[in-house]
Amino acid sequence: MEALADLVASLPAGVVATDPATVAGYRFDWARDTAAGTPVAVVRAEDAAQVQTAVRWAATHGVPVVPRGAGSGLSGGASAVDGGIVLSLERMRAIEVDADCQVAVVEPGALNAEVKAAVREQGLWYPPDPSSFEICSIGGNVATNAGGLCCVKYGVTTDYVLGLDVVLADGTLVTLGGKRIKDVAGLSLVKLFVGSEGTLGIVTRAILRLVPLPLPPATLVASFPSVVAAAEAVVAVRRTLRPSMMELMDRASINAVEDFSPRGLDRSAGALLVVQSDAPGDARTAEVGAVEAACTAAGATEVVVTDDPAEGEMFVAARRAAFPAVEARGALLLEDVGVAVPLLPDLLAAVTEIGVRHGVEIPTVAHAGDGNTHPIIVYTAGDADSERRARAAFDDVLRAAIRLGGTITGEHGVGRTKKAALPEMLGDDVMALTRRIKDALDPDGILNPGAVL
Amino acid sequence: MEALADLVASLPAGVVATDPATVAGYRFDWARDTAAGTPVAVVRAEDAAQVQTAVRWAATHGVPVVPRGAGSGLSGGASAVDGGIVLSLERMRAIEVDADCQVAVVEPGALNAEVKAAVREQGLWYPPDPSSFEICSIGGNVATNAGGLCCVKYGVTTDYVLGLDVVLADGTLVTLGGKRIKDVAGLSLVKLFVGSEGTLGIVTRAILRLVPLPLPPATLVASFPSVVAAAEAVVAVRRTLRPSMMELMDRASINAVEDFSPRGLDRSAGALLVVQSDAPGDARTAEVGAVEAACTAAGATEVVVTDDPAEGEMFVAARRAAFPAVEARGALLLEDVGVAVPLLPDLLAAVTEIGVRHGVEIPTVAHAGDGNTHPIIVYTAGDADSERRARAAFDDVLRAAIRLGGTITGEHGVGRTKKAALPEMLGDDVMALTRRIKDALDPDGILNPGAVL
């Protein structure tokens, strides 16, 4: 491919890789999408100008561009495309903290954990905290409008993005927003690019809002006889309180975590809730007390409270370990369905029923306080019947969420693995509206083709 | 106009008004834009279907549609257009509170204060609080992504919009988002419509996120010798604290308020800061104490603290009274410029210098904790020289904000009165991007033509 030689020549040595071994390492993200293609090259850009060069080349030659952060996406949003290039931002990871403005100016390849660590040195905090925060990049967080455990009180990625530099489909670099906190001049373009999964442009810099560090939290762990009882406690708590975390693990995920790395969780519990409060002083005592009362009223069989942050973090780490723990059990199909909080018991009941009906194991964890659940469908790779049942269950879970007026993805993104269900959720008119915006910004469809749309 | 008869016939009696007296009442919003045109009709729609009917008629005949909420906009975003229709949403004001989901489902004509009152009955709170909250509509708040006094801690309108029903330029009604808190399925369309000032579609329903009622606040009022000293206190406070309000009044606005309705403010102060804390228990004492120390260190000559919410509200009401009070002094040009918080002293110093240079009075109030200021330029209507100097000062204030990397509008919107400065702020590439989205969604340009773009 002669054109490819032009790309290689137009960028510094080492930026463009075309050797099969390197390229193979960029085919998949964590969704392990079996339909992922093989790219002709990987561009590991070092700055925005190199991103522009690569995109201009792709635009000229009509080559698909799949942007990629840390590759930790769970929906195949960074699955490579045959004949395309993967544009990796992993080398662009500068972090500049402006403590006076309470912002961090961050390149997209910086990991969420790296940003958190850099701002913590100045007594500041970047709240969004996907479970994968130690391995996921800010660019990917922006692309998916990532959530996490603290969202129930502190909101999601879009709430913290004040500005973006974006390379558009024709290679133009635009600077949107800035360090100012309030700004309504023109359309809300920053917000449009957040969550656009690389289909409208490629983020090369983000200005992230920071807040003062929260107090070390108190942690409450409650055991319930069933997920539905636990979900009912969540609904009750959310009516009047704003805990800083409210996570759920069902029995299957508890046992998967205990099998994987024992932490002394109650294997016999139908579900655990892990709740944190970072309210100050007396308010914390009141909040934790109210949560405990709600849990007991909903049927909790045991409630443990600790003010020791390290002990609390142990429970949270157990919750975060659910993905790797379940992954050790087989191949996975990851769900990310969400509903309005009062419908959480219905959604969890539906997931249980679907698992039974298809004969598949579906360990489930949830950012319960937000109504956002992660049923994890386990199957045996290479066993066609197992995979068929898993896929049927996957589709049924998506449909259950849609039927309850919910979403097929609360924080992971549509990517490629949930794309088929998007029209059913959004309807023809919203799909057409989406398509008009996509066509306006990427008329030749070179940016992450096959994702979302 | 034969076509107009079709419009009248297609809607129930009383919905379409064409008589000159009624129509004249819909030419202006609070910006009193002298360039406002005269519409051919006012459509006071009673439901979304009637909005669709009117927009379809307008699309068929190429007639401009200016959407209008309560007409309290300050940037001429609802100025009527010659030959167009005004589509008033004032009759659509249903409010349905879903306490379990912690949302309110609201029609666009409902006033902000009506929503606040309805949800308060259930112990809930809708935070965004423009100073005009008693007379401004939710539709207008969504259209401008309105801010207010509590934004410094609680964020702006877009942070509370979970879902929208929108009538598009061809009359299609789309439902975006819903009662679920987290949702990343597809593009962030809800966020795109928030702040689009009626140029992309007409909102017919909003699903607003609610939070538990905050505690009654403590209020601190500090007198400073100058606005710059007050601004420096703001910068110091914002480095480590998150007060629930942080407002500034300069000497001219203090005196305007005292002239208009005396409240015992210190007329000799160079500036006042009105700061509130709604932190619970001991945390409040600590927060108020830290704010007091920062004010004193920045040169405050007097600091008064009260835990009495009624007394505190008196000071806040004085701050809110600044617009009507200054309006009593003459004709106004309203600014809404903002900068990153550490640049607030520079912006306020620039405004003072501009006032002196052009020989115009510019009373200034500010949502200081967000870096968002409202210099109010006063001139004598009918005095050509006074008006010329005021307009020159207006342009210079916009330029000063741009030069400081700030925005020409923090919360009022671009509308028609700030449109000329938008390209200077955003640059050609961002303007072109904006135009592409506008053209994709409203190819014939019938929605609020002349606003923003």
Side-chain angles (χ1 to χ4, degrees), chain B residues 46-117:
Chain B
E46 292 160 339
D47 58 32
Q50 293 181 2
V51 174
Q52 290 182 275
T53 299
V55 171
R56 281 199 202 103
W57 172 87
T60 302
H61 299 283
V63 173
V65 179
V66 175
R68 180 187 178 97
S72 63
L74 296 171
S75 300
S79 297
V81 170
D82 282 331
I85 62 172
V86 169
L87 211 168
S88 170
L89 288 311
E90 72 199 283
R91 293 181 179 173
M92 293 175 60
R93 51 206 309 156
I95 301 170
E96 178 206 319
V97 184
D98 181 340
D100 280 350
C101 285
Q102 299 208 298
V103 301
V105 183
V106 175
E107 286 189 326
L111 302 185
N112 180 297
E114 292 170 344
V115 174
K116 280 193 163 60

Side-chain angles (χ1 to χ4, degrees), chain A residues 384-404:
Chain A
D385 180 60
S386 168
E387 182 165 346
R388 185 192 54 73
R389 284 182 285 115
R391 296 209 174 271
F394 184 84
D395 291 344
D396 281 355
V397 170
L398 294 178
R399 268 187 218 115
I402 295 171
R403 197 178 62 240
L404 291 166

Side-chain angles (χ1 to χ4, degrees), chain B residues 357-374:
Chain B
R357 178 152 46 85
H358 292 287
V360 294
E361 194 190 7
I362 314 184
T364 297
V365 294
H367 305 307
D370 285 322
N372 180 200
T373 73
H374 296 315

Side-chain angles (χ1 to χ4, degrees), chain A residues 222-237 246 273 290-303 345:
Chain A
S223 300
F224 292 85
S226 71
V227 284
V228 172
E232 281 163 0
V234 172
V235 176
V237 167
M246 189 150 217
L273 282 186
V291 172
E292 181 167 3
C295 288
T296 303
T301 51
E302 191 186 358
V303 179

